[in-house]
Amino acid sequence: MAGSTPATVKFQDVADAWSILPQVSEDVHALSFESKGEALEVKWSDEHLGIYPWKWLRPHKQNSKAHATVSPATADPKYSPPPVRKDICLNFSDYERVSDSLVRGDHVGRVSSPTMGGAYCVPVTPEATQGLIERIAFIRHTHYGGFWDFTADLTFKDTAYTNEFLGAHTDNTYFTDPARLQLFHLLSHTEGQGGGSLLVDGFEAANILRAENPSYFEALIKYRHPWHTSGNEDTCIQPSAQAPVFSVHPDLNQVYQIRWNNYDRAPKVDWSAAEQQDWYSAARRYNEILQNREIWTQLEPGTALIFDNWRMMHGRSQFTGKRRMCGGYVNNDDFISRLRLLKYGREAVLNNLGNIPTGHDPENPNSIV
């Protein structure tokens, strides 16, 4: 559903219905409604026809008595993330040097939240790639498995397993605890072309949004969403509670996690029409900022890309031919434990247990979140 809106849209499930909405014009409106058996047909002013099954519409009707608002923590207006790094492909000459740097902490620090991420030269094998990520921490097992080695064969009903264009997004919005680090390694691409990779700093884009329009920034904090993944018959994962696009740290008073994935949002009933308008106006502008800040690179076999999934968004251009990718996830807690110990040492970390900073304190290990 990442391409242009078709003339007729049949909403078979939640993902279909909401994945196209960010593309809809602000002034689109319904021209007519007609009940057709088990569905409602709506003709829209942009000339497309929407077909909405009654069994989908009834449980998702707007609940005007419910409110989506929470008491948002306002991010510190003086806080700003470090400047965007342009040197995302900082390659080492050989795998052993990469491994040594991981042990010293150079690598782990480079992919932490204040950075864009890093690209590293590794042998073109899944075994070497798995060894690289395991130098940081344990690989997180999910419904996709542990370490991935896949092609665009739709083994999982997920957009990553297609050859379609993928806009900037974060992964795992549907987990209560999204994975923190993500690694991709293109093992091969034959008989085709395309498949460029994009990265964009979600924190920087959030800061730009806040400077331009504080109310838009607040809307992406205030309104929480139901996220989900349900492509496969045996899977329907949702977080334990709805979550906003921007999560603000209660002690550091700054955005520390972003959930942004148009493919993963489920219908939301607990807000008014005015609140919906607030959120969509904010989301539309945030998306524009992201698109204007994208950095594109072409991955090649032997280059592994690792980045912070709570901050960095990634995407992919459409491609032809056969691509084989491998990679994996690392949990937040495992990664942050590794990073704090490497940066400060065990004694300093233990001495600061429970010492919660109220702002960024470079001497306090707990400033790393």
Side-chain angles (χ1 to χ4, degrees):
M1 300 295 291
S4 60
T5 305
T8 300
V9 183
K10 295 183 178 180
F11 295 96
Q12 301 297 332
D13 57 33
V14 169
D16 283 347
W18 275 53
S19 64
I20 71 159
L21 287 182
Q23 305 171 32
V24 177
S25 170
E26 288 187 84
D27 60 359
V28 70
H29 57 277
L31 296 177
S32 65
F33 304 86
E34 185 176 358
S35 179
K36 290 288 189 70
E38 297 182 355
L40 175 69
E41 291 190 1
V42 181
K43 292 182 180 179
W44 296 91
S45 57
D46 62 355
E47 300 184 351
H48 82 265
L49 177 68
I51 301 177
Y52 307 83
W54 289 111
K55 65 180 181 180
W56 181 85
L57 280 173
R58 289 190 183 99
H60 293 108
K61 64 182 179 181
Q62 182 176 306
N63 182 354
S64 60
K65 295 183 180 180
H67 297 280
T69 57
V70 295
S71 299
T74 303
D76 183 356
K78 296 180 180 180
Y79 170 79
S80 62
V84 176
R85 286 179 45 164
K86 305 300 183 182
D87 54 338
I88 63 173
C89 292
L90 302 176
N91 294 321
F92 288 102
S93 59
D94 59 73
Y95 178 64
E96 290 303 321
R97 190 175 171 193
V98 175
S99 298
D100 290 344
S101 74
L102 289 174
V103 174
R104 292 196 308 269
D106 300 344
H107 168 84
V108 176
R110 288 228 321 254
V111 295
S112 63
S113 59
T115 70
M116 284 286 288
Y120 298 87
C121 288
V122 294
V124 188
T125 67
E127 293 80 12
T129 310
Q130 182 172 347
L132 174 64
I133 195 170
E134 287 178 340
R135 296 302 294 263
I136 302 174
F138 302 105
I139 292 176
R140 175 170 178 169
H141 284 251
T142 69
H143 57 299
Y144 300 111
F147 184 77
W148 332 305
D149 185 349
F150 67 95
T151 59
D153 59 1
L154 277 179
T155 300
F156 294 94
K157 303 304 186 290
D158 186 277
T159 49
Y161 289 78
T162 71
N163 61 357
E164 300 172 0
F165 165 82
L166 299 180
H169 64 281
T170 61
D171 275 13
N172 299 167
T173 60
Y174 40 76
F175 287 148
T176 301
D177 177 28
R180 184 63 181 270
L181 293 188
Q182 188 164 357
L183 178 148
F184 285 128
H185 184 194
L186 176 66
L187 295 175
S188 64
H189 187 181
T190 59
E191 303 176 20
Q193 57 186 355
S197 295
L198 75 85
L199 288 175
V200 59
D201 187 342
F203 285 7
E204 185 193 41
N207 235 42
I208 293 172
L209 183 70
R210 174 171 48 194
E212 286 185 0
N213 192 320
S215 65
Y216 280 2
F217 180 76
E218 289 295 330
L220 298 187
I221 296 172
K222 182 168 62 173
Y223 299 115
R224 299 175 298 119
H225 289 277
W227 309 89
H228 79 116
T229 180
S230 55
N232 288 76
E233 293 296 326
D234 59 350
T235 302
C236 188
I237 299 173
Q238 304 171 71
S240 57
Q242 295 187 69
V245 173
F246 299 155
S247 291
V248 175
H249 195 283
D251 301 305
L252 301 181
N253 201 31
Q254 65 189 44
V255 174
Y256 74 102
Q257 183 190 69
I258 292 178
R259 298 181 195 235
W260 181 259
N261 195 321
N262 289 324
Y263 311 103
D264 294 347
R265 282 184 293 118
K268 179 176 176 62
V269 300
D270 56 336
W271 57 353
S272 68
E275 290 170 330
Q276 293 176 41
Q277 182 63 45
D278 288 345
W279 189 88
Y280 274 103
S281 295
R284 181 176 284 105
R285 179 56 190 147
Y286 184 59
N287 191 60
E288 291 173 350
I289 295 171
L290 290 170
Q291 291 177 334
N292 290 333
R293 309 296 296 183
E294 291 173 356
I295 296 175
W296 285 84
T297 185
Q298 189 73 46
L299 295 183
E300 298 179 353
T303 301
L305 177 65
I306 307 178
F307 56 90
D308 181 353
N309 183 56
W310 284 18
R311 172 173 183 163
M312 298 305 305
M313 298 180 198
H314 65 285
R316 179 193 68 210
S317 65
Q318 187 176 9
F319 67 89
T320 59
K322 301 177 181 178
R323 290 199 341 159
R324 181 184 174 193
M325 298 285 293
C326 68
Y329 293 126
V330 171
N331 276 329
N332 171 69
D333 292 342
D334 296 322
F335 167 60
I336 295 301
S337 169
R338 178 83 158 149
L339 179 57
R340 286 173 175 166
L341 290 171
L342 287 170
K343 184 175 178 63
Y344 293 96
R346 181 173 175 81
E347 182 177 3
V349 171
L350 293 178
N351 286 340
N352 280 279
L353 292 176
N355 179 18
I356 307 302
T358 56
H360 183 68
D361 177 2
E363 301 302 318
N364 188 337
N366 297 312
S367 291
I368 298 177
V369 296

